[in-house]
Amino acid sequence: MPIRAYAFDAYGTLFDVHAAISRHRETIGPDADAFSALWRAKQLEYSWTRTLMGRYQNFWSLTGQALDHALSRFPSIDNSIRPALLDAYWRLAAYPDVLPALTRLRLMGHQIAIFTNGTAAMAEGAANASDVLPFVDVIVSVDEIGQFKTVPDAYGLLLRKLAMQAEEVCLVSSNRWDIAGGKAFGLPAIWVNRTGMPDEYADLAPDRVIASLSELV
């Protein structure tokens, strides 16, 4: 069955999660990269632990909590930067390869979805700020089911929103754990390995591995 739609993870795939820190690098100082990495790691950790506990809070709330933890771990960083960093998360930059890839997919007649742990408003804000939104047919947020990826219901939600079979929807993500979740559910999946990371989840291998969305089509 041919692929009819491509479902793109938002954070780390379409949008650079470290762009918020990059805009304020001079203010944050020499710990900027380590601070950004911890913020992202805690954001993901909270989503997984909350799902396992059955104590859901939306991704925006967890983003703030993760930022607070990162600020507590780096006392040299002035806490007054918190509002600016959270505001920047609504205006994350798209990677340079995103718009050319989406343009090609649109010309080929494929549907395009953003499939995200973030709230629909977060994804729409970033997509609008980065000029991605005109290429997007639908934003699918796990906020609708109150569980984060990689629970099977999240991928089931994607298929219901697209009204398609699993074989017709290709998941595209830079997060290897997301690719594993998609493959476990039965989706074709392409791992965007931007940073040359070693593979994981050998029993749930992606259909393709690419270093850039320029290799997608």
Side-chain angles (χ1 to χ4, degrees):
M1 191 175 293
I3 298 296
R4 294 175 55 198
Y6 285 81
F8 290 86
D9 170 68
Y11 300 114
T13 306
L14 296 177
F15 310 122
D16 182 358
V17 294
H18 301 294
I21 297 297
S22 296
R23 292 177 186 174
H24 302 281
R25 183 174 294 276
E26 290 187 8
T27 301
I28 294 170
D31 292 325
D33 290 336
F35 178 80
S36 186
L38 179 61
W39 184 12
R40 173 63 170 166
K42 284 296 175 178
Q43 182 190 52
L44 293 174
E45 177 189 325
Y46 294 166
S47 73
W48 296 326
T49 55
R50 286 274 173 188
T51 295
L52 287 168
M53 289 187 290
R55 300 290 295 272
Y56 179 79
Q57 294 183 12
N58 71 33
F59 203 62
W60 179 241
S61 176
L62 300 188
T63 297
Q65 292 173 33
L67 176 57
D68 289 337
H69 176 81
L71 286 168
S72 72
R73 291 277 297 274
F74 288 88
S76 62
I77 299 174
D78 189 342
N79 282 21
S80 66
I81 200 172
R82 184 183 190 273
L85 290 177
L86 288 176
D87 178 68
Y89 222 88
W90 291 82
R91 297 177 288 106
L92 294 176
Y95 289 101
D97 56 359
V98 169
L99 291 180
L102 297 185
T103 298
R104 290 193 295 272
L105 289 176
R106 175 66 74 213
L107 290 173
M108 295 170 67
H110 295 295
Q111 290 192 45
I112 296 171
I114 293 178
F115 175 41
T116 182
N117 272 345
T119 66
M122 289 175 69
E124 183 175 354
N128 186 54
S130 59
D131 297 323
V132 166
L133 193 58
F135 296 92
V136 177
D137 295 295
V138 61
I139 294 174
V140 180
S141 168
V142 302
D143 193 43
E144 187 167 326
I145 61 169
Q147 293 180 295
F148 293 103
K149 306 179 202 179
T150 57
V151 295
D153 284 350
Y155 303 95
L157 173 67
L158 174 65
L159 296 186
R160 292 198 301 276
K161 290 295 185 180
L162 289 171
M164 294 183 188
Q165 301 298 312
E167 297 83 359
E168 298 176 291
V169 180
C170 183
L171 173 66
V172 183
S173 181
S174 65
N175 299 302
R176 185 61 179 91
W177 49 266
D178 190 15
I179 293 297
K183 290 301 296 181
F185 187 79
L187 295 173
I190 297 174
W191 179 28
V192 187
N193 188 5
R194 294 185 182 280
T195 56
M197 295 296 289
D199 195 17
E200 305 174 86
Y201 309 104
D203 58 322
L204 296 165
D207 294 275
R208 290 177 59 199
V209 181
I210 58 178
S212 166
L213 290 178
S214 62
E215 303 172 42
L216 188 59
V217 291

